[in-house]
Amino acid sequence: MNPLQDKRIVLGVSGSVAAYKAAELASKLTQAKAQVDVVLSEGAERFISPLTFASLTGRKAYSSLWDSDAHVVHVGLGEAADLLVIAPCSANTLAKLATGQADNLLTLTVLAARCPVLVAPAMDGGMFEHPATQANIQTLRQRGVQVLGPAQGRMASGLLGWGRMLEPAEILGQLRLVLSRGGPLAGRHVLVSAGGTQEPLDPVRYLTNRSSGKQGFALAQAALDLGAQVSLVAGATAASLPTPYGAERIDVDTAAQMAEAILQRAGSADVLIMAAAVADFRPRQVQPHKIKKNLLPQVELEPTPDILLAVAEQRRRIGWPAVVVGFAAESQNLLENAQDKLARKGLSMIVANQVGVPDAGFAVDTNRVSLLWPGGAVEHLPLLSKSEVAEEVLRRVVALLAEG
């Protein structure tokens, strides 16, 4: 399911102080199990050595047409690549690519490539906004080259402006998105909820839960990796998690806000995965001022909107989403409570996980879950990372969609 696994990625590095970021990108790609061939321009070698990349990737890094005994090395690299990205891409290299120059191994390899080509510009001062650079970028875009960034910020010179290379994590997300096109969920809209809600008690206090949102965000990434269009409704406790690149993110605080966001989008979604830990109760009355410490309050609670029941009603009327997956976090009677929720809320599948154990559930990176279906079928998964759990859930979603 990992779109980068075993893919041949050519990483071009041109002359820029941002070349140090290319080393991190090469490392991340290798950790994602891609086969990374690095090609440095002569200018790049003044900032970073081929040995650095060879050490990070475990593969030879190239810097000259003449430093390899391979037959026509640029053709071999270009023809074998599943994707070619130049990060950083200097103003000079952009100009060469736009005019079709082929005076070094990197530009030769781009001309020989038959795969998607992406460039991440990196340059100082007003160079990016110069009309010549903008014209070169427009030319490359017209030829199908994807331009990643740049970002705005402080340059090596101390100036502020557009020209900073995107961070490696963002570039990695964009590469995953490119390689996931045409996956089994291509053309499908997957709606995912994640994290816990916060129900206000007074202007400074609220009721919440321990959900980190990590499992829901992993589900969003797994859906993206299968080619889906993804909308991610993130509860307040997941506010600090980075958005999976390519997902539409909707941040909410309360259960009522989450219900509104989900119901607005569920009618156009093929799949809803309700992984959020939505608060079951909220204070009936929110105090307008901070409750003083010496005034112990009597808090009366009321139920929050039941989102999955509302989705079930909408689904009966319009038939969408085609697949609805719920989550059940329980501290006791796990399977019995999950089976009851599965039936009451008309779910296609439910993911049940035991909370209160040290290696699974809230605030950790692993999970141990059971999958339940209507009719009584149960599948117990071993302890897995939350990313692996997400992949297993999405495999079942693909199968459910295929069943119609």
Side-chain angles (χ1 to χ4, degrees):
M1 187 173 290
N2 172 10
L4 289 165
Q5 184 166 350
D6 299 324
K7 292 296 192 294
R8 291 287 298 272
I9 310 293
V10 171
L11 172 58
V13 185
S14 64
S16 165
V17 69
Y20 75 92
K21 292 184 179 180
E24 183 181 350
L25 179 58
S27 177
K28 287 182 178 295
L29 286 167
T30 304
Q31 291 173 46
K33 301 182 180 179
Q35 299 177 41
V36 185
D37 294 310
V38 179
V39 180
L40 296 89
S41 71
E42 181 180 350
E45 284 192 276
R46 296 180 178 271
F47 293 96
I48 194 167
S49 76
L51 179 60
T52 298
F53 291 102
S55 301
L56 291 169
T57 65
R59 299 170 67 85
K60 177 180 174 62
Y62 302 87
S63 59
S64 170
L65 186 63
W66 318 110
D67 68 355
S68 172
D69 55 6
H71 179 63
V72 199
V73 61
H74 61 287
V75 174
L77 289 168
E79 290 282 348
D82 294 294
L83 185 149
L84 189 154
V85 56
I86 304 177
C89 188
S90 66
N92 185 50
T93 297
L94 278 173
K96 289 183 178 182
L97 297 178
T99 56
Q101 291 187 44
D103 62 348
N104 60 33
L105 179 58
L106 178 55
T107 52
L108 280 165
T109 302
V110 173
L111 288 182
R114 298 296 178 265
C115 61
V117 176
L118 302 90
V119 296
M123 56 201 71
D124 210 329
M127 296 170 65
F128 177 74
E129 295 172 332
H130 192 281
T133 302
Q134 289 298 306
N136 291 332
I137 287 174
Q138 182 63 22
T139 296
L140 292 174
R141 283 181 170 146
Q142 289 172 351
R143 295 177 187 161
V145 174
Q146 294 189 45
V147 181
L148 311 181
Q152 188 178 32
R154 186 173 297 277
M155 316 291 185
S157 65
L159 297 174
L160 294 173
W162 293 96
R164 283 178 59 88
M165 178 176 139
L166 296 183
E167 294 304 314
E170 185 171 354
I171 295 174
L172 182 72
Q174 300 205 36
L175 302 188
R176 288 181 76 130
L177 199 63
V178 170
L179 291 171
S180 67
R181 290 173 182 165
L185 289 180
R188 300 285 196 174
H189 179 199
V190 177
L191 177 59
V192 180
S193 70
T197 61
Q198 295 176 344
E199 309 303 322
L201 179 61
D202 66 18
V204 298
R205 300 182 181 91
Y206 50 78
L207 302 179
T208 190
N209 57 60
R210 298 178 184 274
S211 174
S212 66
K214 291 180 178 180
Q215 185 63 78
F217 276 61
L219 287 159
Q221 182 63 67
L224 288 165
D225 287 345
L226 292 175
Q229 171 197 347
V230 175
S231 298
L232 175 61
V233 181
T237 64
S240 64
L241 294 180
T243 307
Y245 187 82
E248 174 200 18
R249 178 169 179 164
I250 306 96
D251 287 299
V252 298
D253 292 322
T254 67
Q257 291 170 353
M258 182 167 284
E260 181 181 4
I262 292 292
L263 291 171
Q264 282 180 351
R265 293 164 177 80
S268 63
D270 297 282
V271 179
L272 168 62
I273 304 178
M274 196 70 189
V278 185
D280 295 316
F281 313 106
R282 64 189 177 194
R284 185 176 294 276
Q285 182 177 2
V286 178
Q287 299 300 317
H289 302 289
K290 178 184 175 183
I291 300 170
K292 302 307 293 181
K293 185 176 181 179
N294 62 335
L295 298 176
L296 186 64
Q298 297 294 318
V299 180
E300 185 179 359
L301 301 177
E302 65 180 8
T304 58
D306 192 315
I307 300 174
L308 281 177
L309 279 180
V311 168
E313 174 58 31
Q314 179 176 282
R315 194 179 179 202
R316 280 191 291 270
R317 288 187 287 103
I318 66 174
W320 295 96
V323 172
V324 178
V325 178
F327 271 67
E330 302 288 346
S331 60
Q332 59 183 352
N333 302 324
L334 175 65
L335 297 183
E336 295 88 339
N337 288 330
Q339 188 68 53
D340 175 68
K341 184 175 182 179
L342 173 70
R344 283 189 300 107
K345 303 191 179 185
L347 304 176
S348 310
M349 183 177 78
I350 193 164
V351 182
N353 63 288
Q354 190 84 32
V355 298
V357 293
D359 58 358
F362 297 144
V364 294
D365 294 325
T366 53
N367 216 347
R368 184 184 285 106
V369 305
S370 298
L371 310 178
L372 292 79
W373 288 268
V378 180
E379 182 180 0
H380 302 289
L381 300 183
L383 183 69
L384 300 170
S385 71
K386 288 185 174 177
S387 293
E388 291 169 329
V389 169
E391 291 174 1
E392 294 297 328
V393 171
L394 265 297
R395 285 192 181 96
R396 277 61 171 190
V397 167
V398 170
L400 287 167
L401 286 169
E403 293 170 4

